[in-house]
Amino acid sequence: MNKIERIGVYTSGGDAPGMNAAIRAVVRTALYNGIKVTGIYRGYEGMIEGDFKEMVSRSVSSILQKGGTILKSARCAEFRTPEGRQKAYDQVKAAGIDALVAIGGDGTFTGAELFSKEFDIPVMCIPGTIDNDLYGSDYTLGFDTANNTVIDAIDKIKDTAASHNRLFFVEVMGRDSGCIALNAGVAGGAEALMLPEKDTAIEELIDSLEEARERNKTSMIVIVAEGDKNGGAYNVAKRVKEKFDFYDTKVSILGHLQRGGSPSSFDRVLATRMGYFAVNELIRGNRSATVGIRGSQIVSTSLEEALRGKELKLDEELLKIAQVMNI
Ligand code: F6P
């Protein structure tokens, strides 16, 4: 096993609060261990183009508290082709990079696994996405911060909803994942949830709103995950209003504001632990894995298992709790 001399670090896919804290931890842990670091800009796109920069300890000063990613991010179609990956490898090799740390979501991990297999280069992945939809970690970077942003918004919407006796449909992010919606439903006290994993029919939603009205609820919040099969909050609101018009109805799409902002303390600590662990795993000889938190422990899971292992499931107990709290 050759000693690692230079690590390349990059962020890819949707940005998430905590990515900068993870970059900082990777850079400083590597430097502490005598390993040089190259920052790869714009994810796989920048890897293909050789958009690289030497990272020293001061390169990551004062980024711990910042949202977004100083390395920028992109979604890159060319990297999905063997030619694109070959170009990326040529750049990586020419820059003397002999191991990688990838920070992102499942698209990032899929690219990293392919790249590591094709060119026999060690890669550690750090789960960074507000969606919390990666197997191998109880929490992904940015999920906690995004939830705090969502709760802040829902609390404010509740004030005005209650004042006007209104029914609000609040759309939160999550193309394939209802994690933010479910968490916000419990933390924000929503009356109903529409989740991509559940396929709830509009009639079923109307029945539950009708029952809530009979229980003397004067205003209501329905949280709709972006990926709900009924087509988002505007569609759900329109269809509900056709049959259930007891309340004035409003829609609020929270959108990309959920992705920004200063990371919470939880995300900063998690990112720092994950970045530290990722570099140490590379030093220990781990050649392809994702870092995660299970309980309070930072652990590694093979990319094979993380990407094709057990199916990710919604927390059914939390869903039940959300229902019970709504009586
Ligand atoms: O994966 C994170 C995420 O924020 C999803 O919840 C959302 O569907 C998607 O990214 C939006 O991506 P983009 O910013 O590229 O439109």
Side-chain angles (χ1 to χ4, degrees):
M1 195 178 68
N2 294 333
K3 191 175 168 294
I4 292 168
E5 289 182 2
R6 179 176 290 278
I7 288 175
V9 58
Y10 59 98
T11 49
S12 166
D15 62 331
M19 280 185 163
N20 280 328
I23 295 167
R24 173 178 175 269
V26 169
V27 170
R28 292 197 172 161
T29 308
L31 295 175
Y32 177 86
N33 286 286
I35 299 171
K36 297 191 187 75
V37 186
T38 298
I40 301 172
Y41 282 74
R42 295 179 293 117
Y44 294 117
E45 204 170 86
M47 200 187 279
I48 289 172
E49 292 170 17
D51 191 0
F52 299 161
K53 198 166 159 191
E54 186 74 28
M55 306 289 279
V56 295
S57 192
R58 293 289 75 74
S59 315
V60 291
S61 294
S62 295
I63 66 168
L64 178 66
Q65 72 279 21
K66 292 199 173 123
T69 158
I70 59 156
L71 291 177
K72 313 265 180 181
S73 192
R75 302 190 196 271
C76 176
E78 195 181 354
F79 196 79
R80 294 203 195 103
T81 67
E83 297 75 26
R85 293 195 293 278
Q86 182 63 54
K87 278 193 212 163
Y89 181 66
D90 294 343
Q91 297 281 11
V92 160
K93 201 164 176 237
I97 296 168
D98 44 23
L100 292 166
V101 175
I103 307 168
D106 57 352
T108 308
F109 287 18
T110 304
E113 190 196 31
L114 265 175
F115 196 68
S116 151
K117 272 191 187 153
E118 283 173 359
F119 302 105
D120 195 26
I121 181 163
V123 54
M124 289 299 295
C125 294
I126 295 178
T129 164
I130 63 165
D131 290 352
N132 204 32
D133 60 348
L134 294 172
Y135 184 79
S137 192
D138 296 346
Y139 297 103
T140 58
L141 299 182
F143 177 64
D144 183 64
T145 306
N147 275 305
N148 288 325
T149 303
V150 169
I151 289 314
D152 184 48
I154 289 177
D155 289 350
K156 288 171 177 156
I157 289 169
K158 274 194 138 180
D159 288 346
T160 177
S163 304
H164 288 266
N165 289 348
R166 279 176 170 157
L167 166 60
F168 262 86
F169 293 84
V170 182
E171 184 177 299
V172 300
M173 271 188 163
R175 198 165 25 211
D176 306 305
S177 161
C179 281
I180 293 180
L182 174 55
N183 200 76
V186 174
E191 272 63 37
L193 305 175
M194 300 295 274
L195 311 173
E197 296 89 341
K198 283 294 162 192
D199 225 350
T200 308
I202 294 290
E203 293 66 33
E204 206 182 311
L205 172 63
I206 292 173
D207 287 348
S208 76
L209 298 178
E210 187 70 67
E211 283 164 21
R213 190 177 79 93
E214 281 159 15
R215 294 195 303 274
N216 300 323
K217 295 223 175 192
T218 52
S219 65
M220 297 189 206
I221 304 282
V222 177
I223 299 180
V224 183
E226 172 193 8
D228 171 66
K229 308 281 187 307
N230 296 288
Y234 276 112
N235 280 319
V236 174
K238 188 168 162 277
R239 292 181 57 199
V240 168
K241 211 172 155 56
E242 282 161 13
K243 297 194 179 141
F244 181 79
D245 61 356
F246 302 95
Y247 300 88
D248 188 12
T249 300
K250 296 284 172 187
V251 175
S252 192
I253 313 267
L254 301 188
H256 281 79
L257 69 82
Q258 296 162 88
R259 285 246 294 264
S262 180
S264 63
S265 167
F266 179 86
D267 276 328
R268 295 183 200 191
V269 174
L270 184 62
T272 305
R273 291 179 73 193
M274 284 182 172
Y276 173 85
F277 187 87
V279 172
N280 280 301
E281 279 297 282
L282 287 171
I283 294 170
R284 284 191 282 268
N286 195 337
R287 296 191 65 83
S288 159
T290 173
V291 177
I293 183 159
R294 294 247 191 228
S296 60
Q297 292 293 308
I298 302 291
V299 296
S300 80
T301 303
S302 74
L303 282 177
E304 167 69 31
E305 193 188 340
L307 291 166
R308 288 173 294 282
K310 292 192 199 95
E311 201 190 322
L312 265 179
K313 294 238 168 61
L314 206 62
D315 185 339
E316 291 293 332
E317 192 181 12
L318 199 55
L319 197 56
K320 179 74 190 166
I321 291 170
Q323 282 162 4
V324 171
M325 292 304 123
N326 183 31
I327 57 169

